[in-house]
Amino acid sequence: MNWSGWGDPALAADLPEPVRGLLRDLLGVREPARPAAALGEVRLAPVTLAEPVLAELGGIVGPDHLRSDAEARVRHTRGKSTPDLLRIRAGDGSAAPDAVLLPGSHQEVLAVLDACARHRVAVVPFGGGTSVVGGLAADRDGFAGVVALDLARLDRLLSVDPESMVADCEPGLRGPRAEHLLAGHGFTLGHFPQSYEYATLGGFAAARSSGQASAGYGRFDDMVMGVTVATPRGTMEFGRAPRSAAGPDLRQLVLGSEGAFGVITSLRLRVRPAPAERVYEGWRFPDFAAGTAALRRLAQHGPLPTVLRLSDETETLVGLARPAEIGGAPGGQGCLAVAGYEGTAQDVAHRRAGAAAVLSGLGGVPLGTEPGQAWARGRYQAPYLRDSLLAAGATVETLETAGFWSALPRLYDAVRTTLGAALGPVDGPGDGPGAAPLVMCHVSHVYPAGASLYFTVVTAQAADPVAQWEDAKRRVNAAIVEAGGTISHHHGVGRDHRAAYATEIGELGVEILRAVKERLDPAGILNPGVLIP
């Protein structure tokens, strides 16, 4: 993973000059005043952990699996939100851990947590490092230091039960490796979020991830049948059966907990037969309202595609629905929908024909498989485009929410209006004024009762781009709560959503979270400052 951007640095290509010209002319984007810092230029605070503590931790995981060199610390600093990247590109490594630990077993994780609780060392569980909500920047106040607990060594497929169609996996398995191993048994998880190439199974669970094929395979929390968690107080194991009426489902304490209650050390996951056929196709609707109505009809009455998403007019026109082709042909007028089908040839044909009848009957125009295949080819490219835009002097960030179908129009308008008011026009660092931001949206996940809205915003960088976005984020968080949406559909809470999350769950909900935290983590060492209001 690129330490100052996304994924493979070789894939972050420079923007074509026509795109740079549009950024200058339409958004007032100017080249940054200073180039991004090199790895060796990142400013790190001195290691504060005492040598005896480092030695004890190294004795637990093995001296070869404790790292405190500058590069390891930088690579475990923050996540991949735009503020995270802006800070690290400016050379700010102030949130870097003092050391990185790579445990090799559940028992080693337990021992690390015990030692860190005794010595008051904050622990940040680290999977793929893909958090975009400030989920990897621990509070240091009151602690002797901070360590990143990297679970990369816990990366095995432990077993597969083909009769039950469940697989036991360790949390450090990354998405592609998990799919490769499961394919050897004829199965798939079917979980393909945009972070898929780098995120881990443990991270998917800890953040309640939702993949792009959620209409067919479900969210990741739907897939978790059982979980083992190491805490400073000991081990928790939940999930004897796929469903139970034996009291509240305590798996839900772990799913979405973002490492604040414990460290996931194994997962029992529902798997599906690997699909024999995949077909993705495009549809065009005259406007976002018509497209949304068609998606709602499929979500409520079927037949439901495996993948179902809809770009609004702006996202379609810009072409962000097909990020691999940005700078080429524009997306066109109206709104582009993508419907994808995975399964047996017979099942794919049946659902595709049924869905086509519904979509065409509600005003959709079929575009064939080319737009759908183009989306499939480029679905992991958008984060690389963000890196290129940041390098060109634009601030680009995403945010997401969800609501009931009846509330979706209000939620859509509230977010767009608030972002427009918060981000433009601004005075950029260059020689010209900025302009109003470009705000794009798509329906990313659908349910019978509602859907998720995923927004992308591009604007000229202000003199202080971090403060610029943080102010906009506070305002749009408040607008989402006011409009009746949830503060996060699949990105999690982290630090960025913590205040709005407190409003969403109310005072008693906050008290419950704090009580759980106190019972499982009395010293408060697990990811302090994240999730818990």
Side-chain angles (χ1 to χ4, degrees):
M1 175 73 85
N2 185 356
W3 66 272
S4 63
W6 184 261
D8 182 352
L11 297 181
D14 288 339
L15 293 174
E17 184 52 39
V19 175
R20 289 178 175 271
L22 286 173
L23 291 172
R24 289 192 299 268
D25 297 341
L26 298 182
L27 298 180
V29 172
R30 299 295 183 266
E31 295 288 336
R34 292 181 298 276
L39 180 61
E41 296 172 334
V42 177
R43 301 178 300 277
L44 297 173
V47 173
T48 61
L49 283 178
E51 283 298 329
V53 176
L54 286 171
E56 182 176 350
L57 294 173
I60 295 170
V61 299
D64 292 340
H65 303 301
L66 184 152
R67 301 171 186 168
S68 57
D69 59 282
E71 181 170 347
R73 295 175 67 198
V74 169
R75 290 187 179 278
H76 290 78
T77 300
R78 299 186 178 273
K80 297 301 181 183
S81 71
T82 290
D84 287 340
L85 297 186
L86 288 169
R87 287 186 174 99
I88 202 71
R89 289 168 64 88
D92 178 4
S94 58
D98 295 293
V100 179
L101 307 178
L102 291 98
S105 69
H106 173 80
Q107 293 303 321
E108 287 185 6
V109 174
L110 282 176
V112 165
L113 297 183
D114 175 71
C116 287
R118 285 187 281 105
H119 296 294
R120 291 204 55 77
V121 177
V123 179
V124 180
F126 193 97
T130 61
S131 170
V132 292
V133 291
L136 298 175
D139 287 341
R140 280 184 170 269
D141 291 348
F143 295 98
V146 176
V147 296
L149 193 67
D150 190 325
L151 300 171
R153 293 177 63 207
L154 296 176
D155 64 348
R156 295 176 298 163
L157 173 62
L158 298 172
S159 66
V160 175
D161 176 352
E163 184 176 1
S164 303
M165 289 206 300
V166 295
D168 290 329
C169 308
E170 290 186 320
L173 262 180
R174 289 187 175 183
R177 179 65 175 162
E179 284 296 321
H180 172 75
L181 293 173
L182 288 170
H185 297 269
F187 292 113
T188 179
L189 278 171
H191 188 69
F192 305 107
Q194 201 163 67
S195 62
Y196 163 74
E197 295 172 299
Y198 294 94
T200 63
L201 302 187
F204 292 153
R208 284 192 186 275
S209 175
S210 192
Q212 295 162 355
S214 65
Y217 293 104
R219 292 164 52 98
F220 196 79
D221 46 5
D222 298 326
M223 303 174 189
V224 178
M225 300 291 101
V227 61
T228 301
V229 184
T231 82
R233 293 285 310 279
T235 299
M236 299 190 298
E237 292 185 88
F238 304 129
R240 283 180 170 267
R243 292 290 185 269
S244 171
D249 187 351
L250 294 180
R251 287 175 296 191
Q252 300 302 321
L253 278 178
V254 179
L255 300 174
S257 63
E258 301 181 36
F261 296 152
V263 179
I264 297 169
T265 57
S266 70
L267 293 153
R268 174 161 291 176
L269 301 174
R270 182 203 70 201
V271 295
R272 300 284 182 85
E277 187 168 321
R278 290 185 173 94
V279 178
Y280 305 103
E281 61 187 15
W283 289 79
R284 190 174 304 283
F285 287 89
D287 54 48
F288 198 51
T292 301
L295 265 61
R296 178 171 64 85
R297 168 62 176 77
L298 288 179
Q300 292 178 336
H301 302 290
L304 192 60
T306 309
V307 173
L308 188 60
R309 51 198 289 122
L310 172 74
S311 294
D312 71 359
E313 292 88 344
T314 306
E315 186 171 284
T316 299
L317 180 64
V318 170
L320 196 62
R322 297 158 61 167
E325 301 178 17
I326 285 290
Q333 297 180 344
C335 293
L336 175 66
V338 172
Y341 305 88
E342 300 185 6
T344 65
Q346 181 180 9
D347 173 61
V348 165
H350 175 74
R351 284 190 292 137
R352 188 181 179 194
V358 172
L359 295 174
S360 59
L362 292 172
V365 176
L367 302 177
T369 58
E370 193 280 331
Q373 296 301 119
W375 169 81
R377 288 193 302 270
R379 59 182 169 171
Y380 302 127
Q381 298 303 308
Y384 293 105
L385 177 61
R386 178 183 61 168
D387 289 352
S388 301
L389 288 166
L390 287 175
T395 290
V396 56
E397 184 59 298
T398 62
L399 59 93
E400 41 79 43
T401 180
F404 295 109
W405 289 112
S406 58
L408 231 53
R410 179 186 177 198
L411 188 58
Y412 175 75
D413 290 340
V415 173
R416 285 168 47 85
T417 299
T418 302
L419 286 172
L423 289 172
V426 299
D427 290 328
D431 55 4
L438 179 68
V439 181
M440 299 163 278
C441 179
H442 63 263
V443 175
S444 59
H445 306 272
V446 298
Y447 308 95
S452 170
L453 296 176
Y454 193 98
F455 294 86
T456 302
V457 57
V458 184
T459 190
Q461 287 183 11
D464 185 345
V466 173
Q468 173 194 25
W469 177 250
E470 288 182 340
D471 174 66
K473 183 70 171 176
R474 283 191 295 271
R475 292 162 68 172
V476 80
N477 282 355
I480 287 172
V481 172
E482 175 64 24
T486 180
I487 197 57
S488 177
H489 172 264
H490 57 269
H491 282 171
V493 174
R495 303 172 70 90
D496 297 354
H497 296 153
R498 191 174 53 187
Y501 177 52
T503 302
E504 183 171 322
I505 64 175
E507 291 184 8
L508 189 56
V510 171
E511 288 184 22
I512 292 170
L513 286 180
R514 290 176 177 171
V516 173
K517 174 75 169 175
E518 189 280 331
R519 179 63 62 178
L520 296 177
D521 179 22
I525 61 166
L526 285 167
N527 225 358
V530 169
L531 180 69
I532 311 298

